[in-house]
Amino acid sequence: MKLNGQQHVGRLAGIALVFGVILFIAVVAGISTGPTQSGIHAAWAALFPRNETDLVLHNIIWRIRFPRVLLAALDGAALSLGGLVFQALLRNPLAEPFILGVSGGAAIGAIIGILAGLTRVPGVCLTAFVGSLGTLALILVMSTGKSTLRKDALLLSGVMVNAFCSAIIMFLVSITQDARLHNIMFWLMGDLTAAELPQIVILGAALVPCFIVVFLLSHTMNLLMMGQDMAQTMGVDIKVATFTLLIVTSFMVSATVSFSGLVGFVGLVIPHLLRLILGPDHRFLVPACLFGGGAYLVCCDILARTLSQHGEMPVGVITAMIGAPLFIILLKKSSS
Amino acid sequence: MAAGHRAYPHFSREPVVALAPDVVVITTMSRSGAFNKAKADWQRLTHIPAVRHNRIHMVDSDVFDRPSPRLVQALEILTQLLHPGLLKDGP
């Protein structure tokens, strides 16, 4: 479908509006849902507390639920965009930060940062970034040879990178008695409870410029999907574009990992779902992934908080339960 | 004591805040100022009696969390924290 400039802007605005509204509804649902008291009315009453009961809910909503929902929305947006960028750059529909092992590398970096006693911002974020760049370099080296351009080879190398990262993480956890790592198992499956509002605001301030860069490069991603030769003839500086996208994506993923651990498969589910609805044009997919990914992780987190009667579960359990079967279906479809 | 319908209930943070505990006992946070940070977090929740009466306590995780004869010592400490004055000699 060929769109002129005005139609393009109209469609972009429409998509941003629809997915923005979906995200808003998810956020409202996330704030009004919890093990203690649920419902929009209760949440609304808690905004302006008039008595002691309202004050309790006021504290719960603003100090516990709201930071968590905000973190989920930011994480979901960053991870979905990460998946979308990796799928475009590697021209592999199954590429995703978690599956490729980039998240695992960031986790190693984050744990080293935690053990070194660094603060989360910027210390742990930076060590996580270095870790993710390390695994990314490894993946790129493995996928540049002609023989490894095949989908399954890239996935297999991702599985191996992941296994290696898990081993290193377990090694680091085993050799330390540090109490700071006692929650590590929870963190490894994705934990949205840790952060507080000021830190999340910093995360948002770091991620929003990344979102803008990816959006500005969305047309370039369209051209890259057509093949490197084609992109070059269309005037794309492939090296600069690829380098920028990879660095920005690694940064987004590592910032996410250092705040909330390993949340897998978000970058697989959302880009695929949105491609089915909106088609392959990245200029529309980027904003849709941004809002849609945020809404998706907020909804997964609602399930993680409410499904169990006895406490809560890591959000990564839910995303993996949805994402892993989808991954198998996509793999089966792409090989047949 | 966090009591419930079942033994050893698991709590996430939200039900704890909703239950408004009289005393908060925190273990395993002795290193690098983690307890002070956790205590500061709790102190912002002004509706909780434990905060109002300054009854947020840290205990040594080595004594409390390890199954050893020292658990008796842990019990004495806990009694002192929950019912100050009950044990005349103190822990």
Side-chain angles (χ1 to χ4, degrees), chain B residues 14-80:
Chain B
E14 188 175 322
V16 177
V17 172
L19 286 171
D22 295 314
V23 185
V24 175
V25 180
I26 300 173
T27 70
T28 69
M29 284 207 166
S30 53
R31 293 173 184 85
S32 61
F35 170 69
N36 288 333
K37 196 176 155 297
K39 190 172 175 179
D41 284 348
W42 280 106
Q43 273 169 342
R44 279 188 298 220
L45 304 167
T46 45
H47 73 273
I48 295 180
V51 174
R52 283 208 296 266
H53 304 129
N54 199 20
R55 294 185 73 183
I56 300 173
H57 306 286
M58 180 181 67
V59 293
D60 185 352
S61 61
D62 286 343
V63 177
F64 272 74
D65 296 348
R66 294 182 199 283
S68 75
R70 285 192 297 176
L71 278 176
V72 178
Q73 195 189 339
L75 189 61
E76 285 175 355
I77 296 171
L78 201 58
T79 313
Q80 185 72 14

Side-chain angles (χ1 to χ4, degrees), chain A residues 36 59-60 65 179 196 312, chain B residues 12 14 18 31 37 41 47:
Chain A
T36 42
N59 275 331
I60 287 176
R65 287 187 200 165
E196 292 149 28
E312 54 193 44
Chain B
S12 59
E14 188 175 322
R31 293 173 184 85
K37 196 176 155 297
D41 284 348
H47 73 273

